[in-house]
Amino acid sequence: MTITSPALAALAGDPAALAEHLSTAGGPLVEPAPENLGSVLVTFVWLGEAERVSIRAGQLFADHLAPSHALDRLPGTDIWHRSTVVRADVTSSYQYIVDEPAAGDLIADAFEALRRQVDCWRADPFNPRRIYPQTGIIAGRLDLPEHQWDSILELPGTEPAPWFTPAGAPAGTLVQRRLTSAALGNERQVTVYRPPSGQGPFPLVVMLDGECWTRVADLPTALDNRIADGSLAPVVVAFVHTPEVADRPGARIRESTCDPALTTMLAEELPPLLAEFDVTTDPARTVLAGNSLTGLAAAFTALHRPEVYGNVLSSSGSFWWGYADHPVAAVLGGKDGEPEWLTRQYAEAPRVPVRFWLDCGVLEAGNVPWIPGVDPRAANRHFRTVLRAKGNQVDYYEAPGGHEFVSFRRNAIRGLCALLPGGQA
């Protein structure tokens, strides 16, 4: 691959100067893209001896379905590089994979293969902005050292979001509880955030995929900061974790794809567990939140139990789901011969008194072969349109990012401040 970055071409002959430039820049090389108005040329660079280097970079490359993208090595050097053109306001994440096992060396067990790959992950040593990788949780490793985390890409037009940096705001407390569900036949952890101040009964937010919101997104820090600056009302947040079963990813898929048993758990078994935290029982001040498949699950639950959950927050909800006659149904299930099953249920049902915050990333648009019928952004737009036609209040936001927590967490804080505003909102 030829060098497309003028900066890399100028510095390639002096690795020490290149390293200094990368350190000063705080990560990849970012340069103008004259032929693409509103975009920049981003060049990812890895320095070091290796047999092969690749990169996981969200949806920053055109072929964003590939699990990773190979970097090219400059002949006679230990400089590895790959460039892409990206909107100048995008926020995303990336991670280098150094000497990952060759495809022929990976064993049949997909999750054991993932655990082996984890050992090859490397954060960008020149970029101090990092986030715990969601795939680290999927792989069953909750204690990855920071040099194996994802690096955060913030481009020149990125909107500042200082809420995830501790700023001396009064801190809420986290309390652990156990929930045994008869409806689902499993057990899980619930991490409850209590605000540092305020008087009950408090608004309640229930967030599915709780371990990701606390470990990956670091949402408690943002809650502290937004409550302190008056943008968000003091709230109790119940982070409901994925069940602790051997087939954890499979259990998440089964529960999240419009399972009535999950609705029963959320509407009948969870509220008694949270009563000790002086939370409201008013559905208008109760939010059910999720991302991706759990965004779908939140909307399904609200359709059937609006007397419990009067607000839904969905970050990049999987509203394309439902097409049973497609190969993807072998993994993700399905309902009938068309996509967007839940959207059609809302269209046909009587209006429910539920307010919605929906967001989706601009990088989620386009043809995605493993998603049948419609791309994620189009599916979110369709769901928004149907809800508004039914008379529901809908806040809809297309974020300059992709399907990942570095974008989800920004959007979720926006959504919470819109649904449960504080006195200074």
Side-chain angles (χ1 to χ4, degrees):
M1 181 183 294
T2 58
I3 300 177
T4 57
S5 163
L8 180 59
L11 295 168
D14 188 346
L18 175 59
E20 182 178 355
H21 185 91
L22 292 168
S23 182
T24 300
L29 302 172
V30 180
E31 303 167 89
E35 298 180 0
N36 293 271
L37 188 64
S39 298
V40 292
L41 177 70
V42 180
T43 301
F44 297 95
V45 180
W46 177 264
L47 304 181
E49 184 178 353
E51 292 296 321
R52 53 187 172 270
V53 180
S54 58
I55 187 171
R56 286 193 306 104
Q59 293 165 291
L60 295 176
F61 294 98
D63 181 17
H64 60 255
L65 292 180
S68 61
H69 302 269
L71 272 64
D72 289 301
R73 186 176 193 168
L74 294 182
T77 75
D78 289 327
I79 300 172
W80 302 78
H81 67 100
R82 189 179 182 102
S83 298
T84 186
V85 175
V86 184
R87 269 181 49 162
D89 60 348
V90 157
T91 301
S92 189
S93 62
Y94 65 99
Q95 185 184 70
Y96 296 107
I97 308 175
V98 180
D99 289 334
E100 66 180 316
D105 297 334
L106 295 178
I107 60 176
D109 185 326
F111 289 99
E112 179 58 30
L114 176 58
R115 290 188 180 96
R116 291 186 183 186
Q117 190 186 58
V118 166
D119 294 331
C120 305
W121 291 353
R122 298 293 182 270
D124 187 341
F126 300 108
N127 185 349
R129 301 179 300 277
R130 296 176 182 178
I131 186 172
Y132 193 89
Q134 182 184 7
T135 40
I137 290 180
I138 295 173
R141 299 190 177 191
L142 299 177
D143 56 351
L144 287 176
E146 193 169 338
H147 74 272
Q148 291 183 286
W149 290 17
D150 286 347
S151 296
I152 298 175
L153 178 67
E154 294 182 340
L155 295 176
T158 298
E159 182 182 7
W163 322 306
F164 300 97
T165 301
T173 56
L174 296 177
V175 179
Q176 308 300 332
R177 293 291 182 265
R178 304 291 301 177
L179 174 62
T180 300
S181 172
L184 289 164
N186 56 35
E187 185 177 356
R188 72 194 67 212
Q189 180 172 314
V190 178
T191 301
V192 182
Y193 170 91
R194 294 192 294 195
S197 61
Q199 185 173 1
F202 293 99
L204 172 64
V205 179
V206 173
M207 302 198 76
L208 306 176
D209 284 327
E211 66 275 22
C212 293
W213 291 109
T214 54
R215 186 69 178 93
V216 178
D218 191 20
L219 211 66
T221 296
L223 294 173
D224 293 339
N225 287 330
R226 299 269 75 180
I227 291 171
D229 69 21
S231 299
L232 176 66
V235 294
V236 168
V237 182
F239 297 99
V240 179
H241 295 222
T242 305
E244 297 161 2
V245 295
D247 181 24
R248 180 185 173 278
R252 177 183 182 270
I253 291 171
R254 288 190 297 274
E255 291 185 357
S256 300
T257 47
C258 302
D259 182 358
L262 179 69
T263 295
T264 299
M265 183 274 278
L266 292 170
E268 299 178 13
E269 297 176 333
L270 179 63
L273 183 76
L274 303 177
E276 67 173 284
F277 298 101
D278 196 13
V279 296
T280 185
T281 58
D282 179 1
R285 301 175 66 228
T286 304
V287 179
L288 182 57
N291 65 279
S292 192
L293 281 175
T294 56
L296 176 78
F300 176 78
T301 293
L303 175 62
H304 294 281
R305 300 302 297 267
E307 79 283 5
V308 180
Y309 295 104
N311 298 272
V312 167
L313 186 155
S314 170
S315 284
S316 295
S318 299
F319 298 113
W320 50 265
W321 179 87
Y323 193 14
D325 300 327
H326 188 277
V328 74
V331 176
L332 296 178
K335 287 288 188 180
D336 57 25
E338 297 182 32
E340 302 182 273
W341 179 82
L342 185 60
T343 301
R344 288 181 278 122
Q345 305 311 300
Y346 268 89
E348 296 166 6
R351 177 188 173 275
V352 291
V354 178
R355 179 181 176 183
F356 291 82
W357 167 278
L358 306 176
D359 63 68
C360 192
V362 297
L363 299 182
E364 298 186 70
N367 182 36
V368 184
W370 65 272
I371 292 179
V374 62
D375 73 41
R377 186 177 69 170
N380 273 272
R381 288 177 172 181
H382 292 170
F383 189 49
R384 169 209 61 193
T385 301
V386 166
L387 290 171
R388 287 179 175 168
K390 299 292 287 190
N392 292 91
Q393 182 177 350
V394 183
D395 293 287
Y396 179 74
Y397 175 62
E398 289 190 357
H403 197 83
E404 52 184 326
F405 266 93
V406 75
S407 185
F408 294 164
R409 67 178 189 168
R410 286 169 164 255
N411 304 338
I413 286 296
R414 279 180 176 270
L416 290 178
C417 291
L419 296 173
L420 299 172
Q424 300 301 315

